[in-house]
Amino acid sequence: MDQKRLLLAFVLSAVILFGWSYLFPPPLPADNQQNANASQPALNPSATPAPAPQANQAGAQSSSANPASPDTIPQRILTVSTPLYEVVFDSRGATAKSWIIKQNQEKGREGKPLRSASSTKDNPQPLELVSKEGLSRGLAPLKIVTGRQDLDATIGARNFEFGGLAPEAGNDRLDLKPGEQKSIEFRLSEPGSGVEVLKKLTFDADQYAVKLETRVTQNGQPVPDAKIAIGPNIADQGVLWYSFYSIAPEGIAAVADEVQHLAAASIDQNEKSPHIQRFEAPVRWAGVGDTYFAMTMVLPNPLPGLEFRTEKYEHQADGQKEERFLITGYVPVPADGSPTYIFTGPKDHDQLQETSVFINKNLPGQQVDLGQLIDYGWTARITKPLATPILWSIKWLNGLTGSYGLAIILFTVIIYTLFFPLKWRSSKAMKKAQKLAPRMKELQEKIKGMKQNDPRLKELQMEQLRLMKEGNPLGGCLPLLIQMPFLIALYVAITISIDFRQSSFLWIQDLSAGDPTKLLPILMAGSMLVLQLITPAPSADPLQKKMMAVIMPVMMLYILWTAPAGLLVYWLVGNLVGFGQQLLINRMLKSQDDEQQPPAEKDPAGTRSKKKFNDASPTQA
């Protein structure tokens, strides 16, 4: 997921904080993508996606010479149900027409039920991952394509025979209890073209991963360039609108030594190759998913030839229209029929690690990390090592409190307590810079009016540099910058973790979604404004301080207006804790100032006392 927007907010805040004193008296003078393919014709919705650009002419001739025989196998529907998911297969093309995730399996605990984003408290909806729009266009998960129109038409339009069902399973249903493993076979034999296809799927009741063995032959020889469709748009189909915090379905692939997240819009609008992204480098695994869910195919050995294809369509909900894209991955099939694994489920960090161990154990020589399905953003090298322990800590606190909202609050209090020494140091440095600001301004005015050959110029410049060193506002901002990677990591953790999805707290129904009442962002901005007003600033000018105190909360209010409620809970509680800490720091700084004041002395008349003040100096500041 892209965190550029939030990082930009932090950078702008830092720029304001650092640069304010340089734009105003305290510092030294100044001498020190549109849719380019709108005219491109859309892909033919009725056309079968072909992963290879050129058709095999020999295959086309073979098809005309050996016309396909009539399909005598009746169409059937098979339902496979496990405690974790339920899949509905269509014998026509042996594809999945429905894939419902029932729960998020948690190690050592009862799984959390999962529902669609379109659910309400009184009307829960199943979490469907298969796109109805894709099905209406002839696209479906596990569809086989070869790049040859004759073979693709035969394989996609004919009914496969079922095998592996128990004789009493007359209703075409396969149920698995915990601990069970069962297999089902789909077979197609077309004598006219000599095409034979086998799909064997082995289901494990305790795993989201399904073992898939595929063979595609013609006249006894493996068909080259055969691919399996992953997608299109494996995602929570109940999401009405995608936003900055809820990403649209994207392609994800481990190509060579790099994991790539590919937005459907960028593929569709690529000027060099519209609607298609090809990879000649070997791929270890590839899939399609959104923020919280994905379908991924893991190969026994890296193979070249991965493709992602897109189609544009118009989405309409609540009387509004939105341009969307279907994205489908076409993953190469091992020619020797070696088993692959297809993971379809939640992008939960712990679950993905467990699934990776399971797959690596069953694919000798393969070492995959499906945790890379989670997009930690372009700051992943910094945020991922921090986000993982943050999630673990919040999960642990949730186990104690039974509420992710309370877990976030406790976590915030703990973190702000640990960061208190940095806040104290920052405030102390800001206070010193504020005290030295008048003297800095005085020196600045004197230097402006001096000539370069004035003997006093060098002395004044040396004093100015000395004051800048002791009252440098960067000394107050640097401790705050140390916290920035942690704040970004926490933002990432809350926005990507499925644990917060549909977790309620107080009036909030979903901590992973925005607050529909907008009360949280308003409270966050208001508390931030108050906190800014009581926090020492580099400038001694009250007007500048007030302007700065207003700019940052307004900017953050705009950025976080639709942010996940869990993130806003953290930010609001952090401001409240920070407010209490700042009051304590201000009192401590005031006590230090009182101790540094010289003793009062009586005037000659002995009737009044007065305080002796020396000129501001670095040691007194």
PDB file of all heavy atoms in Angstrom, residues 32-67:
ATOM      1  N   ASN A  32      23.087  33.456   4.012  1.00  0.00           N
ATOM      2  CA  ASN A  32      23.595  32.162   4.535  1.00  0.00           C
ATOM      3  C   ASN A  32      22.833  31.027   3.713  1.00  0.00           C
ATOM      4  O   ASN A  32      22.878  30.474   3.453  1.00  0.00           O
ATOM      5  CB  ASN A  32      23.314  32.151   6.050  1.00  0.00           C
ATOM      6  CG  ASN A  32      24.353  31.473   6.922  1.00  0.00           C
ATOM      7  OD1 ASN A  32      25.422  31.115   6.495  1.00  0.00           O
ATOM      8  ND2 ASN A  32      23.987  31.385   8.196  1.00  0.00           N
ATOM      9  N   GLN A  33      -0.670  11.065 -13.583  1.00  0.00           N
ATOM     10  CA  GLN A  33      -0.825  10.445 -14.929  1.00  0.00           C
ATOM     11  C   GLN A  33      -2.259  10.578 -15.396  1.00  0.00           C
ATOM     12  O   GLN A  33      -3.080   9.932 -14.962  1.00  0.00           O
ATOM     13  CB  GLN A  33      -0.373   8.956 -14.808  1.00  0.00           C
ATOM     14  CG  GLN A  33      -0.710   7.802 -15.172  1.00  0.00           C
ATOM     15  CD  GLN A  33      -0.352   6.523 -14.837  1.00  0.00           C
ATOM     16  OE1 GLN A  33      -1.365   5.953 -14.752  1.00  0.00           O
ATOM     17  NE2 GLN A  33       0.790   5.929 -14.740  1.00  0.00           N
ATOM     18  N   GLN A  34      -2.778  11.328 -16.551  1.00  0.00           N
ATOM     19  CA  GLN A  34      -4.126  11.165 -17.195  1.00  0.00           C
ATOM     20  C   GLN A  34      -4.255   9.867 -18.015  1.00  0.00           C
ATOM     21  O   GLN A  34      -3.310   9.266 -18.406  1.00  0.00           O
ATOM     22  CB  GLN A  34      -4.389  12.328 -18.161  1.00  0.00           C
ATOM     23  CG  GLN A  34      -4.599  13.663 -17.446  1.00  0.00           C
ATOM     24  CD  GLN A  34      -5.878  13.723 -16.679  1.00  0.00           C
ATOM     25  OE1 GLN A  34      -6.824  13.101 -17.119  1.00  0.00           O
ATOM     26  NE2 GLN A  34      -5.925  14.405 -15.568  1.00  0.00           N
ATOM     27  N   ASN A  35      -5.377   9.535 -18.273  1.00  0.00           N
ATOM     28  CA  ASN A  35      -5.573   8.297 -19.056  1.00  0.00           C
ATOM     29  C   ASN A  35      -5.200   8.561 -20.511  1.00  0.00           C
ATOM     30  O   ASN A  35      -5.983   9.059 -21.310  1.00  0.00           O
ATOM     31  CB  ASN A  35      -7.031   7.816 -18.974  1.00  0.00           C
ATOM     32  CG  ASN A  35      -7.240   6.517 -19.687  1.00  0.00           C
ATOM     33  OD1 ASN A  35      -6.318   5.962 -20.282  1.00  0.00           O
ATOM     34  ND2 ASN A  35      -8.473   6.015 -19.638  1.00  0.00           N
ATOM     35  N   ALA A  36      -3.968   8.191 -20.848  1.00  0.00           N
ATOM     36  CA  ALA A  36      -3.458   8.447 -22.190  1.00  0.00           C
ATOM     37  C   ALA A  36      -4.057   7.506 -23.215  1.00  0.00           C
ATOM     38  O   ALA A  36      -3.889   7.678 -24.408  1.00  0.00           O
ATOM     39  CB  ALA A  36      -1.939   8.326 -22.197  1.00  0.00           C
ATOM     40  N   ASN A  37      -4.755   6.485 -22.730  1.00  0.00           N
ATOM     41  CA  ASN A  37      -5.258   5.471 -23.660  1.00  0.00           C
ATOM     42  C   ASN A  37      -6.770   5.540 -23.788  1.00  0.00           C
ATOM     43  O   ASN A  37      -7.422   4.549 -24.067  1.00  0.00           O
ATOM     44  CB  ASN A  37      -4.848   4.076 -23.184  1.00  0.00           C
ATOM     45  CG  ASN A  37      -3.350   3.930 -23.161  1.00  0.00           C
ATOM     46  OD1 ASN A  37      -2.701   4.148 -24.156  1.00  0.00           O
ATOM     47  ND2 ASN A  37      -2.810   3.577 -22.002  1.00  0.00           N
ATOM     48  N   ALA A  38      -7.381   6.698 -23.539  1.00  0.00           N
ATOM     49  CA  ALA A  38      -8.828   6.796 -23.628  1.00  0.00           C
ATOM     50  C   ALA A  38      -9.304   6.450 -25.031  1.00  0.00           C
ATOM     51  O   ALA A  38     -10.403   5.953 -25.230  1.00  0.00           O
ATOM     52  CB  ALA A  38      -9.287   8.205 -23.254  1.00  0.00           C
ATOM     53  N   SER A  39      -8.460   6.748 -26.019  1.00  0.00           N
ATOM     54  CA  SER A  39      -8.827   6.442 -27.399  1.00  0.00           C
ATOM     55  C   SER A  39      -8.564   5.003 -27.757  1.00  0.00           C
ATOM     56  O   SER A  39      -8.973   4.541 -28.811  1.00  0.00           O
ATOM     57  CB  SER A  39      -8.040   7.351 -28.348  1.00  0.00           C
ATOM     58  OG  SER A  39      -6.648   7.136 -28.191  1.00  0.00           O
ATOM     59  N   GLN A  40      -7.869   4.257 -26.836  1.00  0.00           N
ATOM     60  CA  GLN A  40      -7.582   2.857 -27.132  1.00  0.00           C
ATOM     61  C   GLN A  40      -8.867   2.062 -27.021  1.00  0.00           C
ATOM     62  O   GLN A  40      -9.634   2.240 -26.080  1.00  0.00           O
ATOM     63  CB  GLN A  40      -6.560   2.301 -26.135  1.00  0.00           C
ATOM     64  CG  GLN A  40      -5.217   2.995 -26.205  1.00  0.00           C
ATOM     65  CD  GLN A  40      -4.351   2.398 -27.271  1.00  0.00           C
ATOM     66  OE1 GLN A  40      -4.754   1.476 -27.954  1.00  0.00           O
ATOM     67  NE2 GLN A  40      -3.165   2.936 -27.438  1.00  0.00           N
ATOM     68  N   PRO A  41      -9.177   1.182 -27.924  1.00  0.00           N
ATOM     69  CA  PRO A  41     -10.379   0.372 -27.803  1.00  0.00           C
ATOM     70  C   PRO A  41     -10.263  -0.583 -26.641  1.00  0.00           C
ATOM     71  O   PRO A  41      -9.217  -1.145 -26.396  1.00  0.00           O
ATOM     72  CB  PRO A  41     -10.423  -0.396 -29.148  1.00  0.00           C
ATOM     73  CG  PRO A  41      -8.996  -0.402 -29.615  1.00  0.00           C
ATOM     74  CD  PRO A  41      -8.383   0.862 -29.119  1.00  0.00           C
ATOM     75  N   ALA A  42     -11.346  -0.760 -25.884  1.00  0.00           N
ATOM     76  CA  ALA A  42     -11.344  -1.685 -24.763  1.00  0.00           C
ATOM     77  C   ALA A  42     -11.303  -3.106 -25.274  1.00  0.00           C
ATOM     78  O   ALA A  42     -11.714  -3.403 -26.400  1.00  0.00           O
ATOM     79  CB  ALA A  42     -12.604  -1.466 -23.908  1.00  0.00           C
ATOM     80  N   LEU A  43     -10.819  -3.984 -24.396  1.00  0.00           N
ATOM     81  CA  LEU A  43     -10.792  -5.384 -24.789  1.00  0.00           C
ATOM     82  C   LEU A  43     -12.201  -5.886 -25.013  1.00  0.00           C
ATOM     83  O   LEU A  43     -13.144  -5.491 -24.334  1.00  0.00           O
ATOM     84  CB  LEU A  43     -10.123  -6.217 -23.679  1.00  0.00           C
ATOM     85  CG  LEU A  43      -8.625  -5.986 -23.476  1.00  0.00           C
ATOM     86  CD1 LEU A  43      -8.132  -6.862 -22.339  1.00  0.00           C
ATOM     87  CD2 LEU A  43      -7.858  -6.302 -24.731  1.00  0.00           C
ATOM     88  N   ASN A  44     -12.346  -6.779 -25.938  1.00  0.00           N
ATOM     89  CA  ASN A  44     -13.652  -7.355 -26.221  1.00  0.00           C
ATOM     90  C   ASN A  44     -14.114  -8.172 -25.034  1.00  0.00           C
ATOM     91  O   ASN A  44     -13.492  -9.148 -24.671  1.00  0.00           O
ATOM     92  CB  ASN A  44     -13.538  -8.266 -27.463  1.00  0.00           C
ATOM     93  CG  ASN A  44     -14.902  -8.786 -27.894  1.00  0.00           C
ATOM     94  OD1 ASN A  44     -15.897  -8.623 -27.190  1.00  0.00           O
ATOM     95  ND2 ASN A  44     -14.931  -9.397 -29.065  1.00  0.00           N
ATOM     96  N   PRO A  45     -15.222  -7.770 -24.357  1.00  0.00           N
ATOM     97  CA  PRO A  45     -15.627  -8.493 -23.161  1.00  0.00           C
ATOM     98  C   PRO A  45     -15.904  -9.953 -23.403  1.00  0.00           C
ATOM     99  O   PRO A  45     -15.739 -10.778 -22.522  1.00  0.00           O
ATOM    100  CB  PRO A  45     -16.903  -7.746 -22.733  1.00  0.00           C
ATOM    101  CG  PRO A  45     -16.810  -6.411 -23.396  1.00  0.00           C
ATOM    102  CD  PRO A  45     -16.067  -6.640 -24.662  1.00  0.00           C
ATOM    103  N   SER A  46     -16.343 -10.286 -24.587  1.00  0.00           N
ATOM    104  CA  SER A  46     -16.682 -11.679 -24.850  1.00  0.00           C
ATOM    105  C   SER A  46     -15.503 -12.519 -25.275  1.00  0.00           C
ATOM    106  O   SER A  46     -15.597 -13.731 -25.375  1.00  0.00           O
ATOM    107  CB  SER A  46     -17.764 -11.745 -25.938  1.00  0.00           C
ATOM    108  OG  SER A  46     -17.265 -11.178 -27.140  1.00  0.00           O
ATOM    109  N   ALA A  47     -14.356 -11.858 -25.530  1.00  0.00           N
ATOM    110  CA  ALA A  47     -13.197 -12.611 -26.007  1.00  0.00           C
ATOM    111  C   ALA A  47     -12.511 -13.326 -24.868  1.00  0.00           C
ATOM    112  O   ALA A  47     -12.437 -12.815 -23.765  1.00  0.00           O
ATOM    113  CB  ALA A  47     -12.213 -11.671 -26.690  1.00  0.00           C
ATOM    114  N   THR A  48     -12.009 -14.494 -25.135  1.00  0.00           N
ATOM    115  CA  THR A  48     -11.261 -15.242 -24.125  1.00  0.00           C
ATOM    116  C   THR A  48      -9.867 -14.669 -23.998  1.00  0.00           C
ATOM    117  O   THR A  48      -9.170 -14.513 -24.991  1.00  0.00           O
ATOM    118  CB  THR A  48     -11.161 -16.730 -24.534  1.00  0.00           C
ATOM    119  OG1 THR A  48     -12.466 -17.243 -24.682  1.00  0.00           O
ATOM    120  CG2 THR A  48     -10.400 -17.521 -23.481  1.00  0.00           C
ATOM    121  N   PRO A  49      -9.440 -14.299 -22.769  1.00  0.00           N
ATOM    122  CA  PRO A  49      -8.096 -13.724 -22.630  1.00  0.00           C
ATOM    123  C   PRO A  49      -7.032 -14.693 -23.107  1.00  0.00           C
ATOM    124  O   PRO A  49      -7.022 -15.857 -22.720  1.00  0.00           O
ATOM    125  CB  PRO A  49      -7.977 -13.486 -21.113  1.00  0.00           C
ATOM    126  CG  PRO A  49      -9.391 -13.487 -20.610  1.00  0.00           C
ATOM    127  CD  PRO A  49     -10.136 -14.404 -21.511  1.00  0.00           C
ATOM    128  N   ALA A  50      -6.142 -14.219 -23.938  1.00  0.00           N
ATOM    129  CA  ALA A  50      -5.074 -15.060 -24.471  1.00  0.00           C
ATOM    130  C   ALA A  50      -3.746 -14.575 -23.958  1.00  0.00           C
ATOM    131  O   ALA A  50      -3.360 -13.447 -24.219  1.00  0.00           O
ATOM    132  CB  ALA A  50      -5.080 -15.019 -25.999  1.00  0.00           C
ATOM    133  N   PRO A  51      -3.034 -15.366 -23.199  1.00  0.00           N
ATOM    134  CA  PRO A  51      -1.790 -14.894 -22.650  1.00  0.00           C
ATOM    135  C   PRO A  51      -0.669 -14.734 -23.655  1.00  0.00           C
ATOM    136  O   PRO A  51       0.315 -14.133 -23.368  1.00  0.00           O
ATOM    137  CB  PRO A  51      -1.431 -15.961 -21.612  1.00  0.00           C
ATOM    138  CG  PRO A  51      -2.248 -17.158 -21.954  1.00  0.00           C
ATOM    139  CD  PRO A  51      -3.394 -16.693 -22.751  1.00  0.00           C
ATOM    140  N   ALA A  52      -0.785 -15.302 -24.854  1.00  0.00           N
ATOM    141  CA  ALA A  52       0.249 -15.150 -25.875  1.00  0.00           C
ATOM    142  C   ALA A  52      -0.315 -14.289 -26.991  1.00  0.00           C
ATOM    143  O   ALA A  52      -1.453 -14.445 -27.401  1.00  0.00           O
ATOM    144  CB  ALA A  52       0.669 -16.501 -26.425  1.00  0.00           C
ATOM    145  N   PRO A  53       0.464 -13.345 -27.533  1.00  0.00           N
ATOM    146  CA  PRO A  53      -0.078 -12.437 -28.544  1.00  0.00           C
ATOM    147  C   PRO A  53      -0.368 -13.107 -29.862  1.00  0.00           C
ATOM    148  O   PRO A  53      -1.241 -12.687 -30.596  1.00  0.00           O
ATOM    149  CB  PRO A  53       1.015 -11.377 -28.684  1.00  0.00           C
ATOM    150  CG  PRO A  53       2.274 -12.044 -28.220  1.00  0.00           C
ATOM    151  CD  PRO A  53       1.854 -13.041 -27.203  1.00  0.00           C
ATOM    152  N   GLN A  54       0.364 -14.145 -30.194  1.00  0.00           N
ATOM    153  CA  GLN A  54       0.141 -14.765 -31.495  1.00  0.00           C
ATOM    154  C   GLN A  54      -0.526 -16.129 -31.326  1.00  0.00           C
ATOM    155  O   GLN A  54      -0.226 -16.863 -30.422  1.00  0.00           O
ATOM    156  CB  GLN A  54       1.473 -14.945 -32.258  1.00  0.00           C
ATOM    157  CG  GLN A  54       2.448 -15.889 -31.592  1.00  0.00           C
ATOM    158  CD  GLN A  54       3.321 -15.177 -30.606  1.00  0.00           C
ATOM    159  OE1 GLN A  54       3.057 -14.035 -30.281  1.00  0.00           O
ATOM    160  NE2 GLN A  54       4.342 -15.849 -30.103  1.00  0.00           N
ATOM    161  N   ALA A  55      -1.473 -16.418 -32.191  1.00  0.00           N
ATOM    162  CA  ALA A  55      -2.163 -17.709 -32.147  1.00  0.00           C
ATOM    163  C   ALA A  55      -1.319 -18.748 -32.863  1.00  0.00           C
ATOM    164  O   ALA A  55      -0.588 -18.458 -33.794  1.00  0.00           O
ATOM    165  CB  ALA A  55      -3.535 -17.589 -32.825  1.00  0.00           C
ATOM    166  N   ASN A  56      -1.459 -19.979 -32.418  1.00  0.00           N
ATOM    167  CA  ASN A  56      -0.728 -21.081 -33.022  1.00  0.00           C
ATOM    168  C   ASN A  56      -1.483 -21.541 -34.271  1.00  0.00           C
ATOM    169  O   ASN A  56      -2.567 -22.096 -34.189  1.00  0.00           O
ATOM    170  CB  ASN A  56      -0.611 -22.232 -32.003  1.00  0.00           C
ATOM    171  CG  ASN A  56       0.290 -23.324 -32.491  1.00  0.00           C
ATOM    172  OD1 ASN A  56       0.189 -23.782 -33.618  1.00  0.00           O
ATOM    173  ND2 ASN A  56       1.196 -23.768 -31.613  1.00  0.00           N
ATOM    174  N   GLN A  57      -0.909 -21.252 -35.426  1.00  0.00           N
ATOM    175  CA  GLN A  57      -1.598 -21.567 -36.668  1.00  0.00           C
ATOM    176  C   GLN A  57      -1.787 -23.058 -36.849  1.00  0.00           C
ATOM    177  O   GLN A  57      -2.801 -23.517 -37.363  1.00  0.00           O
ATOM    178  CB  GLN A  57      -0.812 -20.978 -37.844  1.00  0.00           C
ATOM    179  CG  GLN A  57      -0.698 -19.461 -37.816  1.00  0.00           C
ATOM    180  CD  GLN A  57      -2.046 -18.804 -37.874  1.00  0.00           C
ATOM    181  OE1 GLN A  57      -2.961 -19.296 -38.540  1.00  0.00           O
ATOM    182  NE2 GLN A  57      -2.202 -17.677 -37.180  1.00  0.00           N
ATOM    183  N   ALA A  58      -0.807 -23.828 -36.414  1.00  0.00           N
ATOM    184  CA  ALA A  58      -0.943 -25.276 -36.556  1.00  0.00           C
ATOM    185  C   ALA A  58      -2.114 -25.773 -35.767  1.00  0.00           C
ATOM    186  O   ALA A  58      -2.866 -26.651 -36.193  1.00  0.00           O
ATOM    187  CB  ALA A  58       0.352 -25.962 -36.101  1.00  0.00           C
ATOM    188  N   GLY A  59      -2.310 -25.188 -34.587  1.00  0.00           N
ATOM    189  CA  GLY A  59      -3.438 -25.606 -33.759  1.00  0.00           C
ATOM    190  C   GLY A  59      -4.745 -25.258 -34.423  1.00  0.00           C
ATOM    191  O   GLY A  59      -5.708 -26.009 -34.378  1.00  0.00           O
ATOM    192  N   ALA A  60      -4.794 -24.070 -35.055  1.00  0.00           N
ATOM    193  CA  ALA A  60      -6.027 -23.658 -35.729  1.00  0.00           C
ATOM    194  C   ALA A  60      -6.355 -24.609 -36.869  1.00  0.00           C
ATOM    195  O   ALA A  60      -7.499 -24.981 -37.083  1.00  0.00           O
ATOM    196  CB  ALA A  60      -5.886 -22.230 -36.246  1.00  0.00           C
ATOM    197  N   GLN A  61      -5.329 -25.017 -37.619  1.00  0.00           N
ATOM    198  CA  GLN A  61      -5.563 -25.957 -38.718  1.00  0.00           C
ATOM    199  C   GLN A  61      -6.022 -27.301 -38.171  1.00  0.00           C
ATOM    200  O   GLN A  61      -6.901 -27.942 -38.725  1.00  0.00           O
ATOM    201  CB  GLN A  61      -4.275 -26.122 -39.522  1.00  0.00           C
ATOM    202  CG  GLN A  61      -3.848 -24.858 -40.256  1.00  0.00           C
ATOM    203  CD  GLN A  61      -2.494 -25.000 -40.904  1.00  0.00           C
ATOM    204  OE1 GLN A  61      -1.871 -26.057 -40.838  1.00  0.00           O
ATOM    205  NE2 GLN A  61      -2.030 -23.929 -41.536  1.00  0.00           N
ATOM    206  N   SER A  62      -5.419 -27.723 -37.050  1.00  0.00           N
ATOM    207  CA  SER A  62      -5.811 -29.001 -36.461  1.00  0.00           C
ATOM    208  C   SER A  62      -7.261 -28.975 -36.049  1.00  0.00           C
ATOM    209  O   SER A  62      -7.982 -29.938 -36.198  1.00  0.00           O
ATOM    210  CB  SER A  62      -4.912 -29.303 -35.247  1.00  0.00           C
ATOM    211  OG  SER A  62      -5.375 -30.443 -34.571  1.00  0.00           O
ATOM    212  N   SER A  63      -7.702 -27.798 -35.557  1.00  0.00           N
ATOM    213  CA  SER A  63      -9.081 -27.697 -35.109  1.00  0.00           C
ATOM    214  C   SER A  63     -10.041 -27.815 -36.278  1.00  0.00           C
ATOM    215  O   SER A  63     -11.068 -28.454 -36.191  1.00  0.00           O
ATOM    216  CB  SER A  63      -9.277 -26.366 -34.375  1.00  0.00           C
ATOM    217  OG  SER A  63     -10.610 -26.208 -34.001  1.00  0.00           O
ATOM    218  N   SER A  64      -9.695 -27.190 -37.410  1.00  0.00           N
ATOM    219  CA  SER A  64     -10.593 -27.255 -38.558  1.00  0.00           C
ATOM    220  C   SER A  64     -10.589 -28.631 -39.187  1.00  0.00           C
ATOM    221  O   SER A  64     -11.589 -29.075 -39.723  1.00  0.00           O
ATOM    222  CB  SER A  64     -10.178 -26.187 -39.585  1.00  0.00           C
ATOM    223  OG  SER A  64      -8.847 -26.434 -40.011  1.00  0.00           O
ATOM    224  N   ALA A  65      -9.432 -29.304 -39.066  1.00  0.00           N
ATOM    225  CA  ALA A  65      -9.360 -30.633 -39.653  1.00  0.00           C
ATOM    226  C   ALA A  65     -10.059 -31.664 -38.790  1.00  0.00           C
ATOM    227  O   ALA A  65     -10.558 -32.657 -39.286  1.00  0.00           O
ATOM    228  CB  ALA A  65      -7.901 -31.029 -39.847  1.00  0.00           C
ATOM    229  N   ASN A  66     -10.087 -31.418 -37.481  1.00  0.00           N
ATOM    230  CA  ASN A  66     -10.720 -32.344 -36.555  1.00  0.00           C
ATOM    231  C   ASN A  66     -11.747 -31.582 -35.724  1.00  0.00           C
ATOM    232  O   ASN A  66     -11.460 -31.149 -34.614  1.00  0.00           O
ATOM    233  CB  ASN A  66      -9.675 -32.980 -35.624  1.00  0.00           C
ATOM    234  CG  ASN A  66      -8.630 -33.747 -36.405  1.00  0.00           C
ATOM    235  OD1 ASN A  66      -8.910 -34.781 -36.981  1.00  0.00           O
ATOM    236  ND2 ASN A  66      -7.402 -33.210 -36.415  1.00  0.00           N
ATOM    237  N   PRO A  67     -12.936 -31.361 -36.291  1.00  0.00           N
ATOM    238  CA  PRO A  67     -13.944 -30.588 -35.570  1.00  0.00           C
ATOM    239  C   PRO A  67     -14.292 -31.262 -34.247  1.00  0.00           C
ATOM    240  O   PRO A  67     -14.284 -32.472 -34.127  1.00  0.00           O
ATOM    241  CB  PRO A  67     -15.136 -30.572 -36.528  1.00  0.00           C
ATOM    242  CG  PRO A  67     -14.906 -31.734 -37.447  1.00  0.00           C
ATOM    243  CD  PRO A  67     -13.437 -31.863 -37.574  1.00  0.00           C
TER     244      PRO A  67
END
